[in-house]
Amino acid sequence: MHLGILTASFPDSGLMQVAGWAASEGFDAVEIACWPTAEGDARRYAGTAHIDVDGLTKDKASEIAGELQAKGIS
């Protein structure tokens, strides 16, 4: 079992900043907010996305995974 957090709770921070904080606080994992952004109050955290899924490539996904792994985050 991994103890993790959802990155959407940090709308003003970049993914690696959130991952670094999570690792420093003893978390093992992050659930990355990566849904399409939306305007208004359509749903909570609707405007928060830490990965641009429309422009995500295999190379970029591997890069992100490597950076997270280097921080000890899955």
Side-chain angles (χ1 to χ4, degrees):
M1 177 188 303
H2 294 278
L3 180 61
I5 59 167
L6 174 60
T7 67
S9 302
F10 301 86
D12 297 324
S13 300
L15 176 57
M16 292 307 142
Q17 183 180 3
V18 175
W21 176 85
S24 74
E25 295 297 318
F27 290 97
D28 302 314
V30 293
E31 181 178 349
I32 302 170
C34 57
W35 48 71
T37 58
E39 297 292 325
D41 294 329
R43 66 177 180 263
R44 192 169 189 185
Y45 306 122
T48 304
H50 284 104
I51 293 178
D52 174 11
V53 294
D54 291 329
L56 188 62
T57 63
K58 285 184 180 184
D59 289 341
K60 183 62 178 174
S62 293
E63 177 185 329
I64 292 168
E67 290 179 30
L68 292 171
Q69 185 177 18
K71 294 181 182 303
I73 295 291
S74 61

